[in-house]
Amino acid sequence: MATSEFKVEPYANFGSGEPWVARVLLQWQSVVNAVPAFGATRDRFHLAEGEVFETLGMAFQVLRKLREQVAGNAPGLELAESYASLYGYLWSAYKDRFQKAIRILGPDLGFFWDKDSKFENGAAALVSDHAEYSGLVDLMRLYRQNFHSALAYYRNSYLEHRQDEADPRMLQSFHRLEAAEDTFNKVWRSRLPRCSRFVRRPGWLWFRRVVTAGLLAALRRGRVRSF
């Protein structure tokens, strides 16, 4: 009798009861599966989305550890290590994994993650070629103002390319549990670039209008909601 080579092992001790899991992994798989135009790239996207999920999962595990450390008054060095690990995973998910996944579904929007001057040049070129993307570009700007630029600064000036002396105000703003929770939520809810893939598909203009209007309203209220 042949035996299976596969061994079932636990992967994570969290699941779809966490809102970010339901949205990142399950909701967007369902949406992509429902659109015939994505048939050729669907499998590649699901693999890339798995990497997004894995990296966010690592960040989530660190966040849960941080909750325990803060509640237990852990030493400062332990807290600093956890904050650095959390924001490192979040930046990897946001800057690298998200970008690769959305590129599979459509045109390259890499300028969204670039410096201000390159972002504006890329945004202008996009709107010049596709005027219907003007609302999307407004969303991009709001995301950058809402959390993107601050997270990039923390990563570049403290995590990866340490300046001679880190700005204590910057560290204080990030090294708080409330900030960690808020940044985690904003990163996984930053579905903007992926939403943009649907706006060019015939019959899905309603989707663009609903998502763009909803996200703009949420961001202007100072919070980002998932859709």
Side-chain angles (χ1 to χ4, degrees):
M1 180 177 179
T3 58
S4 173
E5 297 179 1
F6 297 99
K7 182 180 179 181
V8 178
E9 295 180 344
Y11 179 69
N13 60 353
F14 54 83
S16 58
E18 298 292 341
W20 73 270
V21 175
R23 300 298 187 271
V24 171
L25 188 66
L26 303 180
Q27 183 185 61
W28 280 93
Q29 283 187 354
S30 299
V31 171
V32 171
N33 286 341
V35 182
F38 292 146
T41 57
R42 187 175 292 137
D43 290 343
R44 289 174 53 216
F45 173 77
H46 288 330
L47 287 173
E49 188 78 343
E51 293 190 5
V52 172
F53 174 80
E54 181 180 65
T55 309
L56 283 176
M58 293 176 180
F60 182 64
Q61 291 184 147
V62 177
L63 180 59
R64 293 200 297 188
K65 179 181 177 182
L66 262 172
R67 293 167 181 167
E68 296 176 356
Q69 289 176 322
V70 171
N73 295 316
L77 187 59
E78 290 184 17
L79 289 171
E81 178 186 24
S82 294
Y83 282 119
S85 180
L86 170 69
Y87 292 122
Y89 283 132
L90 288 178
W91 184 254
S92 293
Y94 177 71
K95 173 67 164 57
D96 182 68
R97 289 7 176 228
F98 280 8
Q99 188 173 174
K100 289 178 180 177
I102 64 173
R103 190 180 296 129
I104 293 171
L105 296 183
D108 186 0
L109 294 184
F111 67 87
F112 173 60
W113 289 271
D114 221 322
K115 295 180 180 179
D116 288 345
S117 59
K118 291 185 178 181
F119 167 76
E120 292 299 337
N121 290 337
L126 179 67
V127 174
S128 177
D129 293 337
H130 305 282
E132 69 273 17
Y133 277 81
S134 60
L136 182 64
V137 168
D138 288 341
L139 264 177
M140 289 179 171
R141 290 194 177 96
L142 284 173
Y143 268 113
R144 289 169 67 90
Q145 295 169 9
N146 194 253
F147 74 94
H148 170 111
S149 297
L151 181 58
Y153 178 78
Y154 176 89
R155 183 264 183 189
N156 292 331
S157 67
Y158 181 70
L159 286 185
E160 296 295 327
H161 311 291
R162 187 68 62 90
Q163 296 179 347
D164 292 338
E165 184 176 351
D167 185 343
R169 294 171 299 177
M170 181 270 292
L171 293 182
Q172 184 178 14
S173 68
F174 275 93
H175 290 188
R176 296 180 296 111
L177 182 58
E178 180 183 4
E181 300 270 11
D182 185 56
T183 305
F184 178 82
N185 288 331
K186 286 176 178 176
V187 167
W188 76 256
R189 285 170 171 161
S190 62
R191 317 307 292 169
L192 155 67
R194 268 176 252 192
C195 291
S196 72
R197 304 312 176 186
F198 295 93
V199 304
R200 300 188 66 182
R201 309 296 180 180
W204 286 77
L205 290 178
W206 65 272
F207 188 86
R208 172 177 64 84
R209 295 190 183 102
V210 170
V211 170
T212 300
L215 284 174
L216 278 169
L219 281 165
R220 284 168 177 159
R221 289 196 302 270
R223 56 185 182 274
V224 182
R225 297 187 182 278
S226 56
F227 289 81

